[in-house]
Amino acid sequence: MQAIIVTGGKQYKVAEGDTIFVEKLPNEAGDAIVFDQVLAVIDGEKATFGTPVVAGAKVDASVVKNGKGKKVIVFKYKPKKGYRRKQGHRQPYTKVEITAING
């Protein structure tokens, strides 16, 4: 069984047992969370699509950890002007494990 969920403005195709990295959520490690914005549920040959969400469908998950991604360097430069700006950024994320799909 698979589902397409929405969280953090992005869509994810998930199955039971999958581990995904989503935009940071306000939950701690070990917490259980429910994704109720389910766009589609695929069960073998049978597929259910929502308009825009499937009524009564939800995906249960648990938070594995919160963390930060690899550092990305933002370097601005204008030649012959002496203008240089270096800035780093680490995007926060939440690692989530899908436990059940109810649809």
Side-chain angles (χ1 to χ4, degrees), residues 24-103:
K24 187 173 184 213
L25 298 171
N27 301 74
E28 297 297 323
D31 290 352
I33 54 176
V34 176
F35 297 109
D36 55 356
Q37 284 193 312
V38 180
L39 300 179
V41 176
I42 301 133
D43 189 9
E45 295 293 317
K46 183 179 162 220
T48 306
F49 298 98
T51 55
V53 295
V54 178
K58 63 181 182 169
V59 175
D60 297 325
S62 63
V63 175
V64 177
K65 74 171 191 168
N66 289 314
K68 290 184 182 178
K70 292 191 177 225
K71 184 174 279 192
V72 177
I73 302 299
V74 179
F75 188 72
K76 297 180 179 182
Y77 169 80
K78 296 198 190 242
K80 304 179 197 138
K81 301 297 177 195
Y83 175 81
R84 295 163 201 254
R85 298 288 180 266
K86 184 177 179 181
Q87 180 182 7
H89 175 75
R90 294 181 68 190
Q91 185 70 22
Y93 67 83
T94 300
K95 186 176 180 182
V96 174
E97 183 176 359
I98 307 299
T99 56
I101 297 173
N102 304 312

